[in-house]
Amino acid sequence: MKNLIVGQSGGPTAVINGSLYGVVTEGLKSTEQIGKVYGMVHGIEGFLGGQYMDMDTDMTKDELTALKTTPGAFLGSCRYKLPEDLSDPVYPELFKKFEELNIGYFFYCGGNDSMDTVSKLSRYAASVNSDIRVMGVPKTIDNDLVLTDHTPGFGSAAKFVASSVREINRDSEAYDKPNVMIIEIMGRHAGWLAASSVLARCEKDPNPLLIYLPEVPFSEEKFIKQLKAAIDEHKHVTVCVSEGLKDAEGNFISEDTVETAVDQFGHKILNGCGSYLQSLVKKELGVKVRSVEFNVSQRCSSNCLSATDLEEAVMAGSFAVQQALKGETGYMIAFNRKDGDYGMECALVDVNDVCNKEKTVPLEWITDDGSNLSQEFIDYAAPLVKGECQRPMKDGLPVFAIRNR
């Protein structure tokens, strides 16, 4: 009988712990095939340093249940990139540690870079004839993984964005003078999350009137003209923008000019396009203007948990274990949308066809002037934010599962 180990990697979400719950509970009940269920603390990087926990004995049943509505990464995350060269000594070191714990099943919850880890580990396992089954459980608020309809984490983040924009709209219209509110939303290359702000619109309020995504080159001159027209017609204007807006040459409009300003994966560090556009509007139009950056709130908030998102996140984790027990390895769990009324079913896709690729918002879902979304996008995104979650509360505040440090 082999043991199971699961880890989390990359930016946390509101439901990544839901996927963790799915993996753990499915593993714990599979007593005829799985012995112990371990959790890597701080992902691969932490595991290399000997950090892991027993998900059965180190947690109470109440703590395990609370995982479902706990945002962030309960096990702790990392942004550790495994070497491209599979002959690197880190691979035998990892697999030796797996052998010491009698690991037969490895699960990694994460986004694009995490699926790269799953790909490398599954390929190395095959190269040394290891029987460890390696599976990827998707997550990302960016919704940019290919070969899946959407990803766990996006629905709750989209719900937070749309709800928060709707609240900000009420604040913006409090005074009788023209004003502009610019809201910067996560999305470096894919604008799914900023696009979801369109769901904030209601019958009596068309804001956000302007939405700009990185899929379409951004023109400052065109933006000022569109904004002026919107102010003339509506007075109070909310503008939602992706953090990764780029000009026609592909340069981020808020790119840090320091040559070394990149993260560990080589991604350029951005300075904030919201504040940049705030200064531009003030200079060109002279109206009252503010900028707001949602920052980590859009990924760590459980106030706006989507019941649909949480249910699917748990399902993805459970399905991954079920398939690994059937002998599958080297796959990521994907979502296939059913025809007719909204429904979703899990499927397997080769992780090598997923990692290091990026799914962007289809251009046909963006209006010709580059400042709005089509009904097709609304029809796609609206079901993903539906449903409310009951969270455990104490003294009027949410109770979360928190790992012992």
Side-chain angles (χ1 to χ4, degrees):
M1 185 179 292
K2 294 288 188 176
N3 298 327
L4 178 157
I5 195 163
V6 57
Q8 299 170 307
S9 178
T13 78
V15 300
I16 190 174
N17 290 328
S19 293
L20 175 63
Y21 173 87
V23 171
V24 172
T25 54
E26 194 69 34
L28 289 175
K29 75 180 185 182
S30 303
T31 53
E32 294 185 0
Q33 295 168 280
I34 295 175
K36 286 188 170 293
V37 176
Y38 294 111
M40 288 180 284
V41 176
H42 296 299
I44 285 287
E45 187 173 26
F47 182 69
L48 282 167
Q51 298 185 68
Y52 63 92
M53 63 181 287
D54 188 317
M55 299 300 290
D56 186 14
T57 61
D58 292 347
M59 293 186 72
T60 67
K61 289 184 178 179
D62 287 343
E63 287 173 330
L64 184 58
T65 299
L67 274 180
K68 291 189 290 184
T69 52
T70 296
F74 172 79
L75 288 172
S77 187
C78 71
R79 293 191 182 276
Y80 180 81
K81 188 174 181 64
L82 284 171
E84 299 295 331
D85 184 0
L86 296 184
S87 66
D88 189 278
V90 72
Y91 291 101
E93 179 184 357
L94 268 172
F95 276 70
K96 181 181 179 181
K97 291 180 180 294
F98 292 152
E99 184 178 355
E100 290 170 352
L101 287 178
N102 194 31
I103 299 300
Y105 309 93
F106 176 97
F107 301 86
Y108 218 34
C109 305
N112 210 317
D113 293 324
S114 302
M115 294 309 112
D116 180 69
T117 296
V118 173
S119 169
K120 289 169 179 172
L121 291 180
S122 61
R123 286 187 284 121
Y124 180 80
S127 72
V128 296
N129 296 316
S130 169
D131 60 359
I132 291 180
R133 296 163 193 175
V134 183
M135 301 290 278
V137 183
K139 71 88 208 170
T140 175
I141 64 169
D142 293 321
N143 197 39
D144 59 353
L145 292 178
V146 302
L147 302 183
T148 183
D149 180 81
H150 59 281
T151 53
F154 171 64
S156 293
K159 186 167 187 167
F160 174 88
V161 166
S163 300
S164 299
V165 171
R166 186 170 283 189
E167 290 174 341
I168 289 173
N169 288 343
R170 302 285 68 75
D171 181 89
S172 295
E173 68 172 11
Y175 300 101
D176 194 35
K177 293 183 179 180
N179 67 80
V180 175
M181 176 63 73
I182 300 173
I183 303 175
E184 180 182 336
I185 300 166
M186 284 183 175
R188 182 178 292 265
H189 299 293
W192 294 99
L193 204 53
S196 68
S197 66
V198 72
L199 301 178
R201 293 174 183 163
C202 60
E203 184 178 349
K204 292 186 177 181
D205 188 357
N207 272 306
L209 287 162
L210 300 171
I211 303 172
Y212 297 96
L213 313 183
E215 283 81 355
V216 177
F218 183 80
S219 164
E220 295 181 9
E221 181 180 359
K222 185 177 180 180
F223 164 64
I224 292 298
K225 288 181 180 178
Q226 291 172 329
L227 180 57
K228 186 177 186 307
I231 295 170
D232 290 343
E233 183 176 357
H234 296 277
K235 186 182 294 187
H236 308 293
V237 178
T238 298
V239 181
C240 291
V241 299
S242 290
E243 63 179 337
L245 289 186
K246 297 182 284 288
D247 61 23
E249 285 71 45
N251 301 309
F252 291 110
I253 68 169
S254 59
E255 185 174 316
D256 196 315
T257 57
V258 179
E259 186 175 351
T260 57
V262 295
D263 64 16
Q264 54 268 61
F265 285 95
H267 305 313
K268 291 182 178 179
I269 296 174
L270 307 183
N271 280 330
C273 66
S275 58
Y276 175 83
L277 292 177
Q278 176 183 345
S279 298
L280 178 67
V281 171
K282 186 68 175 179
K283 174 185 175 183
E284 297 294 331
L285 299 181
V287 298
K288 180 180 179 181
V289 55
R290 288 183 178 177
S291 64
V292 173
E293 182 185 354
F294 283 164
N295 210 297
V296 297
S297 296
Q298 58 208 294
R299 77 182 188 194
C300 73
S301 175
S302 66
N303 292 326
C304 291
L305 268 178
S306 157
T308 298
D309 192 25
L310 178 56
E311 178 184 349
E312 293 176 350
V314 174
M315 188 185 305
S318 298
F319 186 78
V321 176
Q322 293 166 7
Q323 296 305 302
L325 291 177
K326 292 179 180 179
E328 303 292 0
T329 187
Y331 290 102
M332 184 191 81
I333 309 306
F335 291 160
N336 291 336
R337 189 176 298 219
K338 299 177 181 178
D339 295 332
D341 293 339
Y342 178 76
M344 187 278 299
E345 58 186 8
C346 291
L348 298 177
V349 294
D350 189 333
V351 73
N352 297 301
D353 296 332
V354 175
C355 62
N356 303 314
K357 298 181 177 68
E358 201 163 37
K359 179 180 70 177
T360 56
V361 178
L363 292 179
E364 59 267 27
W365 288 1
I366 304 172
T367 56
D368 291 341
D369 67 357
S371 67
N372 204 350
L373 281 302
S374 69
Q375 185 62 43
E376 286 81 3
F377 174 83
I378 296 173
D379 293 340
Y380 165 84
L384 308 183
V385 306
K386 289 186 176 180
E388 313 308 318
C389 295
Q390 187 67 39
R391 300 174 298 157
M393 305 289 287
K394 182 178 180 180
D395 299 328
L397 297 172
V399 177
F400 298 140
I402 300 176
R403 174 175 47 83
N404 292 329
R405 299 297 187 266

